[in-house]
Amino acid sequence: MRIGILALQGDFAEHGAMLRQLGVQTREVRLPSELADLAGLVIPGGESTTMGRLARSYGLIKPIQELAQQGLPLWGTCAGMILLARETVDGVPGQPLLGLLDVTVVRNGFGRQLDSFEVDMEVPILGPPAFHGVFIRAPYIQDWAAEVQILARLEEGQAVAAQQGNRLVTAFHPELTQDLRFHRYFLQLVEQSA
Ligand code: GLN
């Protein structure tokens, strides 16, 4: 079993290190041919407009959408969550999106003062203890379809993690912590999809 990590830009290396700690083989994906035979794909944090444009010029958008339709499990963190969204309310005009999760995200959802912050959050699917959320110019989920399950919210109410079938999104960066529980959770989705 091999998990791909979109490696056009952003913190793909950290995701790779966490997955390998869990004993999983990984592959950095930059070209459509590198999407072959993956059991799952992670889209890291970074800068969603840059990542989206690179994905478009490398011809990755359509192949990823097709693999998702065929059931490939996906996980997007932060910029990756934006790329997976159906819609953004403050995206850059023409920003390429994969549109694979029926959510609307506010791209720079926490504005300037709260640009970046860290907070412990209850995540019911993970159980205790609280998960340490690292938010870096993070988005949040403003609207979602009935099929979308919200997995975590901040105390102020913003939805910051969600799942639709085997597609997972987190507005924060589990790959920048030592906590492997979200990576393990994604691997469970991958195993259930196999
Ligand atoms: N706000 C960034 C964007 O629009 C995402 C930041 C991140 O991934 N840490 O892509």
Side-chain angles (χ1 to χ4, degrees):
M1 177 172 102
R2 194 179 288 278
I3 304 290
I5 305 159
L6 192 67
L8 299 171
Q9 191 265 335
D11 68 345
F12 52 88
E14 287 81 354
H15 271 295
M18 299 231 10
L19 289 167
R20 287 191 296 276
Q21 270 189 61
L22 291 169
V24 177
Q25 293 186 303
T26 60
R27 182 195 296 142
E28 294 184 357
V29 173
R30 296 183 183 84
L31 299 170
S33 60
E34 292 165 338
L35 289 166
D37 303 321
L38 293 177
L41 179 69
V42 175
I43 305 180
E47 216 290 319
S48 61
T49 53
T50 308
M51 215 184 290
R53 285 187 191 126
L54 288 169
R56 186 163 60 191
S57 50
Y58 283 66
L60 285 161
I61 302 267
K62 258 227 153 120
I64 294 174
Q65 287 169 331
E66 283 168 8
L67 287 168
Q69 302 312 337
Q70 292 162 23
L72 183 74
L74 298 167
W75 176 20
T77 58
C78 201
M81 160 165 136
I82 299 168
L83 277 181
L84 281 175
R86 180 81 58 208
E87 202 181 337
T88 63
V89 292
D90 58 349
V92 172
Q95 168 172 12
L97 299 178
L98 289 161
L100 291 167
L101 219 87
D102 292 316
V103 296
T104 301
V105 300
V106 184
R107 187 174 151 237
N108 288 307
F110 297 95
R112 289 245 169 105
Q113 302 99 307
L114 269 183
D115 205 341
S116 300
F117 60 96
E118 301 190 11
V119 65
D120 289 329
M121 302 173 295
E122 305 297 332
V123 183
I125 50 149
L126 301 181
F131 195 90
H132 190 67
V134 177
F135 292 80
I136 304 171
R137 289 185 298 283
Y140 68 82
I141 302 163
Q142 186 183 59
D143 284 306
W144 55 91
E147 301 73 38
V148 175
Q149 184 192 356
I150 298 300
L151 304 181
R153 284 174 185 273
L154 297 181
E155 271 183 15
E156 296 75 20
Q158 296 95 334
V160 291
Q163 181 179 345
Q164 183 172 7
N166 61 9
R167 301 174 192 166
L168 178 67
V169 290
T170 53
F172 46 91
H173 294 269
E175 74 280 12
L176 299 182
T177 71
Q178 303 297 318
D179 194 332
L180 290 162
R181 286 179 293 163
F182 261 106
H183 287 79
R184 247 186 232 119
Y185 184 73
F186 181 61
L187 292 179
Q188 276 172 31
L189 293 182
V190 167
E191 271 153 30
Q192 286 160 15
S193 304

